[in-house]
C-alpha cells in the first residue's frame, strides 16, 4: 500500500489526517494540540483577516456571503461588549451618550419663486449631556464666579469629589486635598535596612495626601487644625466614646490611669471671650493658640492643569483666608489642592510661585424680564419660526421667519429638534412636484 502524500496530512505533526483549517493562514491541523503549536510557532492569531483581497467571483458565492456576514456580526459583537463595559460594569457613560447627537432628513422647502426643492436637514436628536451639578450648588458657584473644570467620568479625581452645598446656610462644603511633606532621616533608613550613598541628602521629602471637607467660610489654619486633630484621634485614641446622655467621654490619661475632668469655661484675658477648657490647667489661651497656629504652617494653592514638564505653579495664601475668597473668580479642577510647609521651610524643587489666575466676571443677562403668557405666571415660549403653519415634511423658507430666528438664536442653546444645517439636494424638476404627495397637495390647497 502506498504511503499517503505529505500534503494530505496535518501540517504540524505530519501523522494524522487534518480536521481543521486555520481561518487566517489556511494551514491544516488535526487536533487542539497542533493548533496551539501552530499559533506558538508561527505567531498566528487564528482570526480571519477581514482586509485580505477576495476575488469578485468568490464574493457571489455562499462562502463570500458568509465571510461578509461574519465580518459585520463581529463588529456588532465588539460594539456590544464595549458598550456593556462602559455603561454596565464601569458606569463611565450613560447609554444615551453613545447614541448620535444629530439626524439627517430630506425635507421639502419652498423657495422664493414658490416652487419647492429638496434639502438635506440636519436636526438635533438629543442634547449633549455633561456633568450637571445640583441646582443650588450651581447657583452658588455662579454667584462666586467659580468655574469647575470637570475631570472625565470614572477618573479617580472625579470619584473623590464630594463637594456639596449646605442648604440651610447656603455655604459650599468643599472637598479639599491637603498635600504636606514628610522627611526621612538617613539613620532611620539604615536601621530599617535601606542602603544610601554618602552623596544622598539627609532628608528626603515625601508627599502625604489627606482629603477632608471644609466649609467655605472657615479659615485655612482652623480647617487644617481640625484635620490634624482628626488624624491624631484616628491613630491613637480610636473612635470617640459617648455616654448615654449624649456627652463626650474624655480619654483616660495613660500615665496616671485617671480620667480627665469635665470641660469648664474660662474668660480669655486678651479678647474677653469665654472658651471651653478641659484639664487641670490651661497652657495657652485660645487667642494665643490661634496666633501660634497661624504662624505654624504656610499654605499654597496649586493651579489647575499645569503642564507635567513644567514646575508646579502655586499661589501663596494667608492662614486666615477662606475658600470663599480664595476660589472666587477662578478655576478649580474638581476640588482645590492646598500644599503645606512649616514656618521656616521653603518650597522644594519642582515648585514655582505665581500670582493667582482670575477669570472675568459674568455680566447680568440682557433680558431680565421675559414676556409672560396672559392670565398665567409662566414665561411665554420663544417662537423660532414665523406665524404660518407648515405642513408635515416641510421647513420654513429663507424669507419667512428670518428676523425671528436671528433674534431668538441669541443666547439660546441647542434643543432637541433644532435645525443646525441645511444642504440643497439638487435642482427640482417638474417630475419632483408630481411625485411628491405633500408638494402636490399643498399646491392644490
Amino acid at each position: 500500500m502506498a504511503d499517503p502524500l505529505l500534503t494530505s496530512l496535518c501540517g504540524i505533526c505530519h501523522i494524522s489526517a487534518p480536521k481543521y483549517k486555520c481561518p487566517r493562514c489556511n494551514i491544516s491541523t488535526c487536533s487542539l494540540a497542533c493548533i496551539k503549536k501552530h499559533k506558538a510557532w508561527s505567531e498566528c492569531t487564528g482570526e480571519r483577516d477581514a482586509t485580505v483581497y477576495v476575488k469578485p467571483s468568490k464574493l457571489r458565492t455562499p462562502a463570500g456571503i458568509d465571510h461578509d456576514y461574519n465580518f459585520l456580526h463581529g463588529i456588532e459583537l465588539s460594539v456590544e461588549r464595549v458598550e456593556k463595559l462602559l455603561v454596565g460594569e464601569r458606569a463611565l457613560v450613560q447609554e444615551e451618550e453613545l447614541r448620535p447627537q444629530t439626524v439627517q432628513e430630506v425635507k421639502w422647502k419652498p423657495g422664493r419663486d414658490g416652487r419647492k426643492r429638496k434639502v438635506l436637514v440636519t436636526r438635533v436628536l438629543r442634547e449633549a449631556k455633561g456633568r450637571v451639578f445640583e441646582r443650588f450648588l450651581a447657583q452658588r458657584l455662579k454667584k462666586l464666579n467659580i468655574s469647575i473644570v470637570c475631570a472625565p467620568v470614572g477618573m479617580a479625581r472625579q470619584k473623590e469629589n464630594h463637594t456639596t452645598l449646605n442648604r440651610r446656610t447656603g455655604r459650599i462644603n468643599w472637598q479639599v486635598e491637603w498635600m504636606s511633606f514628610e522627611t526621612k532621616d538617613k539613620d532611620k533608613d539604615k536601621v530599617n535596612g535601606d542602603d544610601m550613598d554618602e552623596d544622598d541628602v539627609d532628608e528626603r521629602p515625601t508627599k502625604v495626601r489627606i482629603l477632608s471637607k471644609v466649609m467655605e467660610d472657615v479659615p485655612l489654619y482652623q480647617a487644617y487644625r481640625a484635620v490634624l486633630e482628626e488624624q491624631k484621634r484616628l491613630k491613637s485614641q480610636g473612635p470617640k466614646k459617648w455616654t448615654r446622655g449624649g456627652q463626650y467621654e474624655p480619654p483616660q490619661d495613660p500615665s496616671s490611669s485617671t480620667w480627665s475632668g469635665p470641660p469648664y469655661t474660662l474668660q480669655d484675658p486678651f479678647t474677653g471671650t469665654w472658651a471651653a477648657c478641659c484639664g487641670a490647667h490651661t497652657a495657652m489661651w485660645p487667642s494665643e493658640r490661634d496666633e501660634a497656629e497661624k504662624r505654624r504652617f504656610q499654605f499654597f494653592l496649586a493651579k489647575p492643569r499645569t503642564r507635567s514638564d513644567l514646575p508646579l505653579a502655586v499661589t501663596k495664601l494667608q492662614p486666615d483666608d477662606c475658600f470663599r475668597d480664595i476660589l472666587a473668580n477662578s478655576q478649580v479642577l474638581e476640588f482645590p489642592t492646598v500644599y503645606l510647609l512649616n514656618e521656616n521651610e521653603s518650597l522644594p524643587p519642582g515648585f514655582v510661585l505665581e500670582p493667582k489666575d482670575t477669570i472675568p466676571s459674568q455680566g447680568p443677562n440682557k433680558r431680565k424680564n421675559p414676556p409672560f403668557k396672559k392670565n398665567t405666571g409662566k414665561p411665554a415660549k420663544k417662537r423660532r419660526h414665523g406665524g404660518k403653519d407648515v405642513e408635515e415634511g416641510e421647513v420654513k423658507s429663507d424669507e419667512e421667519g428670518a428676523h425671528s430666528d436671528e433674534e431668538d438664536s441669541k443666547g439660546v442653546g441647542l434643543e432637541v429638534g433644532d435645525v443646525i444645517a441645511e444642504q440643497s439636494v439638487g435642482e427640482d424638476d417638474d417630475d419632483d412636484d408630481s411625485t411628491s404627495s405633500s408638494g402636490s397637495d399643498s399646491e392644490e390647497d
Side-chain angles (χ1 to χ4, degrees):
M1 182 177 181
D3 295 334
L5 297 176
L6 190 61
T7 55
S8 63
L9 299 177
C10 174
I12 302 298
C13 64
H14 303 291
I15 297 176
S16 305
K19 298 180 181 180
Y20 313 103
K21 181 180 291 186
C22 180
R24 193 173 187 88
C25 57
N26 295 327
I27 189 172
S28 301
T29 53
C30 63
S31 61
L32 179 61
C34 291
I35 293 176
K36 292 182 178 180
K37 289 180 181 180
H38 158 64
K39 291 182 178 180
W41 291 350
S42 59
E43 297 181 356
C44 179
T45 60
E47 298 178 358
R48 189 185 305 273
D49 187 7
T51 62
V52 69
Y53 174 75
V54 180
K55 295 181 179 180
S57 58
K58 293 185 178 180
L59 293 177
R60 292 184 290 270
T61 61
I65 297 175
D66 185 60
H67 176 272
D68 294 341
Y69 173 79
N70 291 335
F71 173 69
L72 297 177
H73 185 61
I75 294 178
E76 292 179 356
L77 291 178
S78 301
V79 172
E80 291 179 0
R81 284 194 294 264
V82 173
E83 183 175 342
K84 182 180 179 181
L85 177 65
L86 296 179
V87 178
E89 298 181 6
R90 298 189 179 182
L92 298 180
V93 295
Q94 298 180 0
E95 185 176 0
E96 57 268 16
E97 295 183 23
L98 300 178
R99 303 296 177 259
Q101 295 186 4
T102 59
V103 62
Q104 291 184 339
E105 302 173 348
V106 177
K107 299 288 185 179
W108 290 96
K109 182 175 181 180
R112 297 181 179 180
D113 55 354
R115 299 180 59 188
K116 297 182 179 180
R117 56 189 177 87
K118 292 181 180 180
V119 292
L120 184 63
V121 179
T122 303
R123 294 185 180 273
V124 178
L125 187 60
R126 64 174 183 85
E127 298 180 6
K129 293 186 177 181
R131 291 274 302 282
V132 179
F133 296 97
E134 193 264 338
R135 181 166 62 95
F136 295 98
L137 176 59
Q139 292 177 357
R140 182 60 178 171
L141 292 173
K142 184 178 181 180
K143 183 178 180 180
L144 297 176
N145 195 23
I146 300 176
S147 176
I148 303 295
V149 181
C150 299
V153 178
M155 298 193 69
R157 194 169 185 86
Q158 181 268 328
K159 294 181 179 180
E160 293 173 347
N161 188 6
H162 301 291
T163 300
T164 56
L165 181 77
N166 190 323
R167 296 283 297 274
R168 183 176 61 86
T169 61
R171 299 178 300 171
I172 299 179
N173 194 7
W174 284 99
Q175 175 77 70
V176 182
E177 179 184 24
W178 305 94
M179 301 292 293
S180 58
F181 297 92
E182 287 187 355
T183 57
K184 293 183 179 180
D185 297 336
K186 184 194 302 184
D187 298 336
K188 292 182 181 180
D189 292 337
K190 288 184 178 180
V191 172
N192 296 333
D194 298 337
D195 297 332
M196 295 184 62
D197 299 334
E198 295 180 356
D199 297 336
D200 294 341
V201 294
D202 294 340
E203 297 181 351
R204 295 180 302 176
T206 57
K207 292 183 180 180
V208 179
R209 183 173 183 263
I210 302 176
L211 295 178
S212 69
K213 299 290 288 292
V214 180
M215 283 292 183
E216 65 175 19
D217 57 348
V218 177
L220 292 177
Y221 74 96
Q222 293 183 5
Y224 191 63
R225 180 175 62 190
V227 171
L228 294 180
E229 291 177 356
E230 181 67 15
Q231 293 293 322
K232 184 178 180 181
R233 183 187 64 81
L234 294 177
K235 291 181 180 179
S236 59
Q237 299 178 1
K240 288 185 177 181
K241 297 181 180 180
W242 301 86
T243 60
R244 294 182 178 179
Q247 300 288 336
Y248 170 59
E249 184 177 344
Q252 187 180 17
D253 188 0
S255 60
S256 58
S257 299
T258 59
W259 297 91
S260 59
Y264 55 91
T265 58
L266 290 177
Q267 189 176 17
D268 191 342
F270 299 98
T271 60
T273 58
W274 293 88
C277 303
C278 183
H281 62 279
T282 302
M284 188 178 298
W285 292 104
S287 59
E288 296 177 336
R289 184 179 60 180
D290 289 344
E291 293 298 329
E293 289 291 340
K294 292 180 182 180
R295 298 189 301 266
R296 183 180 176 184
F297 295 105
Q298 304 177 62
F299 299 90
F300 300 89
L301 178 66
K303 289 188 178 182
R305 298 189 295 183
T306 304
R307 288 174 47 182
S308 58
D309 57 340
L310 296 178
L312 179 61
V314 294
T315 303
K316 188 174 179 58
L317 305 175
Q318 298 300 325
D320 52 356
D321 290 343
C322 57
F323 287 105
R324 177 182 55 196
D325 303 327
I326 295 172
L327 302 179
N329 303 319
S330 64
Q331 286 186 343
V332 182
L333 180 58
E334 290 290 348
F335 49 87
T337 300
V338 179
Y339 283 84
L340 298 106
L341 293 176
N342 292 327
E343 180 180 0
N344 299 324
E345 289 183 349
S346 58
L347 284 173
F351 291 83
V352 60
L353 278 176
E354 289 187 4
K356 175 185 173 182
D357 291 338
T358 59
I359 58 178
S361 59
Q362 299 178 359
N365 295 331
K366 296 182 179 179
R367 196 173 187 181
K368 296 183 179 179
N369 300 322
F372 290 87
K373 293 182 180 179
K374 294 182 179 180
N375 302 327
T376 61
K378 299 180 180 180
K381 294 184 178 180
K382 296 183 179 181
R383 301 179 63 185
R384 299 184 177 276
H385 302 290
K388 291 184 178 181
D389 296 333
V390 296
E391 298 181 8
E392 183 180 358
E394 295 184 357
V395 295
K396 280 293 181 182
S397 62
D398 297 335
E399 296 176 351
E400 297 176 345
H403 181 66
S404 61
D405 289 343
E406 183 179 356
E407 292 180 351
D408 294 339
S409 62
K410 295 180 180 179
V412 180
L414 295 177
E415 298 179 358
V416 177
D418 289 352
V419 178
I420 60 176
E422 292 183 4
Q423 182 181 0
S424 178
V425 176
E427 294 294 337
D428 293 335
D429 299 330
D430 296 337
D431 298 338
D432 294 340
D433 293 338
S434 60
T435 56
S436 172
S437 58
S438 61
S440 58
D441 295 341
S442 61
E443 289 180 357
E444 291 177 2
D445 296 337

